[in-house]
């Protein structure tokens, strides 16, 4: 939490406590209060003032919770909140009231809350069988049209295992299996499945909330598409969420690139600004992003398509494992489509705008990631500008973390750089690809799709797990 807060307050990045201090806090009979930076971190971590954190809990809270939830539910709530700092699971005090799973975004994702219901599961023959103690409560949870998640808790497993599925999918499963919910092992909640849920649910809710505004924003796109250069402020389409702004900006950039690369003969070299899984999730879920990639792959099939990412080490350290997996899957999708991906760790390239370069002909600038407004686009054919962009590409490729050779070698090198367990990731991608993401969770917005993500999962899952 201190490292997370340090993004805005750098001095908090070094805050820590001794074991003796921790034991004193944990003892339950200490009458002091943490001060200054330690207090700031604790309050952000738990969401309560330190005065409340170090006071007796309300007498009525725990007895009421124990009536609605068993030990496994409490363990699951703590495990989810501890493992993923962008996640908080709140348990309801009444059995008939759904629990809530709060998902927190960073820069692109706005955060949202999904209803959740927990049930014990028994795992046998590679399947998690839900032990539904009150079918009426389950039916009442699955009926509403809201976004809901059903979580199975296997507290008998060493380390506690959790399984998750969208409530709409669970409802269909319940109907087809005569009142029984059974999930495959691929539904296990880990960094892979959490990352998918974390990104998709927030993107979905953000786009649904902005649906009318985005529909009206199409007129804004049409007005700017005729211009070679544009950088509209957020007030051009007021009231959009961060997700809505990112979708509109990325759609305009895709159309701008398509228009200005329509007559080029050779494949462009692209520089992209996505550094985190939160930013790269657009490649995996936005329909127009996948359409753009597939169109390029078909048009320049057999050509030397390539793309450069800038992912500094400091960004990797700040990212959770689930975000790093999303980033790798976005790169894997491109490699699957024949795009040779270079990844530079050099932080000085983080400020470079996104562009597509056709050497000797033109450079088309298109930026929505971390842009000041909705987007920033431009085109140039000036020789000095082209030399500049050629130098950027050449310099960025120097010291790339992805090795030369086949896509597997490059992806394996990227996984090592991102601190991901390659063997585990290949195995889990294979399991989830066999299941299909749509049997785990489905988008409700027509602007999203999981087809590109399935493609990336199949590609990584088919690679060799070893070196």
């Amino acid at each position: 939490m201190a490292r997370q807060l340090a993004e805005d307050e750098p001095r908090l990045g070094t805050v820590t406590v001794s074991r003796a201090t921790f034991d004193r806090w944990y003892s339950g009979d200490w009458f002091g209060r943490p001060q200054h930076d330690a207090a700031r971190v604790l309050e952000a971590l738990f969401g309560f003032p330190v005065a409340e954190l170090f006071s007796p809990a309300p007498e009525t809270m725990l007895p009421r919770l124990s009536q609605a939830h068993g030990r496994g539910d409490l363990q699951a709530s703590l495990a989810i909140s501890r493992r993923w700092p962008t996640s908080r699971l709140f348990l309801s005090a009444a059995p008939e009231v759904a629990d809530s799973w709060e998902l927190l975004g960073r820069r692109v994702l706005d955060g949202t809350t999904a209803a959740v219901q927990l049930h014990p599961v028994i795992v046998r023959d590679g399947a998690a069988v839900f032990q539904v103690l009150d079918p009426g409560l389950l039916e009442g949870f699955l009926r509403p049209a809201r976004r809901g998640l059903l979580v199975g808790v296997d507290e008998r497993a060493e380390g506690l295992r959790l399984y998750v599925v969208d409530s709409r999918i669970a409802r269909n499963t319940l109907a087809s299996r005569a009142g029984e919910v059974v999930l495959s092992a691929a539904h296990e909640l880990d960094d892979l499945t959490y990352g998918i849920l974390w990104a998709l649910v927030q993107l979905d809710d953000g786009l649904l909330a902005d649906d009318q505004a985005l529909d009206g924003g199409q007129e804004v796109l049409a007005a700017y598409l005729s211009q070679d250069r544009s950088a509209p402020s957020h007030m051009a389409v007021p009231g959009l969420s961060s997700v809505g702004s990112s979708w509109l900006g990325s759609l305009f950039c895709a159309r701008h690139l398509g228009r200005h690369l329509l007559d080029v003969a050779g494949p462009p070299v692209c520089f992209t600004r996505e550094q985190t899984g939160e930013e790269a999730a657009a490649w995996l879920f936005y329909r127009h992003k996948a359409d753009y990639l597939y169109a390029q792959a078909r048009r320049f099939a057999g050509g030397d398509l390539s793309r450069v990412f800038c992912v500094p080490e400091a960004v990797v350290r700040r990212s959770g494992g689930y975000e790093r997996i999303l980033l790798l899957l976005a790169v894997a999708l491109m490699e699957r489509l024949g795009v040779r991906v270079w990844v530079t760790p050099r932080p000085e390239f983080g400020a470079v705008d996104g562009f597509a370069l056709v050497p000797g002909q033109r450079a088309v600038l298109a930026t929505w990631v971390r842009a000041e407004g909705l987007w920033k686009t431009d085109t140039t054919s000036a020789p000095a500008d082209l030399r500049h962009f050629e130098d950027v590409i050449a310099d960025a490729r120097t010291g790339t973390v992805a090795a030369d050779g086949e896509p597997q070698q490059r992806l394996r090198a990227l996984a090592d750089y991102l601190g991901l367990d390659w063997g585990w990731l290949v195995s889990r991608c294979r399991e989830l690809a066999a299941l299909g993401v749509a049997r785990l969770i489905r988008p409700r917005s027509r602007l999203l799709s999981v087809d590109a993500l399935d493609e990336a999962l199949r590609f990584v899952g088919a690679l060799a797990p070893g070196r």
Side-chain angles (χ1 to χ4, degrees), residues 110-112 201-211 214 241 243-244:
D110 300 285
T112 191
V201 171
Q202 292 187 77
L203 290 173
D204 206 34
D205 285 1
L207 291 177
L208 289 173
D210 286 346
D211 188 64
L214 291 174
S241 66
V243 168

Side-chain angles (χ1 to χ4, degrees), residues 372-394:
E372 291 185 6
L374 287 172
W375 63 74
K376 177 183 177 183
T377 58
D378 199 357
T379 58
T380 180
S381 298
D385 292 338
L386 297 185
R387 286 194 297 272
H388 166 70
F389 290 117
E390 289 169 359
D391 289 343
V392 168
I393 293 295

Side-chain angles (χ1 to χ4, degrees), residues 13 72-73 87 103 108-109 153 180 192 196 204 231 237 264 302 304 308 358 370 407 431 463 467:
D73 294 357
S87 184
L103 301 170
V108 177
L109 303 176
V153 183
E180 189 176 47
L192 175 61
I196 292 171
D204 206 34
V237 186
V264 301
D304 189 20
V308 175
V358 184
R370 301 190 304 280
E431 291 176 353
L463 300 176
R467 293 188 179 275

Side-chain angles (χ1 to χ4, degrees), residues 166-185:
D166 189 295
S167 61
R168 289 195 302 170
I169 301 168
R171 184 167 63 237
N172 297 336
T173 302
L174 196 66
S176 64
R177 297 184 65 96
E180 189 176 47
V181 178
V182 180
L183 303 181
S184 76

Side-chain angles (χ1 to χ4, degrees), residues 16-313:
T16 186
V17 296
S18 68
R19 180 71 199 193
T21 299
F22 177 84
D23 289 342
R24 185 165 64 250
W25 289 353
Y26 190 72
S27 66
D29 56 9
W30 182 55
F31 292 97
R33 296 288 184 271
Q35 300 292 321
H36 309 303
D37 291 347
R40 173 84 174 84
V41 174
L42 286 173
E43 289 178 342
L45 181 62
F46 292 106
F48 291 91
V50 289
E52 293 185 28
L53 289 174
F54 288 85
S55 298
E59 293 182 0
T60 58
M61 180 182 292
L62 294 179
R64 289 181 65 200
L65 276 178
S66 65
Q67 294 172 14
H69 292 281
R71 183 185 64 179
D73 294 357
L74 297 171
Q75 287 181 320
S77 173
L78 291 172
I80 288 173
S81 299
R82 285 172 177 167
R83 182 167 182 180
W84 298 291
T86 53
S87 184
R88 297 171 185 170
L89 185 58
F90 299 98
L91 300 180
S92 167
E96 66 276 8
V97 178
D99 305 320
S100 59
W101 192 344
E102 184 182 18
L103 301 170
L104 308 175
R106 298 188 189 277
R107 289 185 173 88
V108 177
L109 303 176
D110 300 285
T112 191
T113 300
V116 67
Q117 192 176 79
L118 298 99
H119 293 269
V121 298
I122 294 178
V123 178
R124 58 172 181 261
D125 300 326
V129 182
F130 279 65
Q131 307 300 292
V132 180
L133 305 180
D134 190 334
L137 282 178
L138 175 59
E139 183 179 349
F141 173 77
L142 298 179
R143 184 178 180 182
R146 69 194 172 195
R147 169 72 73 185
L149 297 169
L150 201 63
V151 175
V153 183
D154 180 14
E155 60 178 310
R156 301 180 308 163
E158 185 175 347
L160 188 74
R161 289 185 179 272
L162 305 175
Y163 300 83
V164 65
V165 66
D166 189 295
S167 61
R168 289 195 302 170
I169 301 168
R171 184 167 63 237
N172 297 336
T173 302
L174 196 66
S176 64
R177 297 184 65 96
E180 189 176 47
V181 178
V182 180
L183 303 181
S184 76
H187 284 267
E188 184 172 353
L189 185 61
D190 53 23
D191 275 346
L192 175 61
T193 48
Y194 175 75
I196 292 171
L197 295 174
W198 176 74
L200 179 54
V201 171
Q202 292 187 77
L203 290 173
D204 206 34
D205 285 1
L207 291 177
L208 289 173
D210 286 346
D211 188 64
Q212 287 196 0
L214 291 174
D215 187 54
Q218 301 301 314
E219 298 179 4
V220 176
L221 293 185
Y224 282 103
L225 271 175
S226 60
Q227 303 177 19
D228 289 342
R229 173 187 299 179
S230 63
S233 73
H234 289 279
M235 293 309 298
V237 186
L240 286 179
S241 66
S242 295
V243 168
S245 296
S246 78
W247 181 88
L248 195 65
S250 65
L251 176 63
F252 182 86
C253 288
R255 292 182 178 178
H256 175 80
L257 287 164
R259 172 173 172 255
H260 288 280
L261 296 175
L262 189 61
D263 61 341
V264 301
V269 181
C270 299
F271 185 98
T272 193
R273 281 172 65 88
E274 290 89 357
Q275 295 184 334
T276 66
E278 184 183 35
E279 295 169 345
W283 292 106
L284 300 171
F285 296 111
Y286 287 173
R287 284 185 181 274
H288 65 263
K289 298 285 280 187
D291 291 344
Y292 168 77
L293 277 181
Y294 280 96
Q296 268 206 335
R298 287 191 299 268
R299 182 180 174 191
F300 300 109
D304 189 20
L305 273 171
S306 62
R307 182 175 293 269
V308 175
F309 281 75
C310 169
V311 185
E313 292 182 13

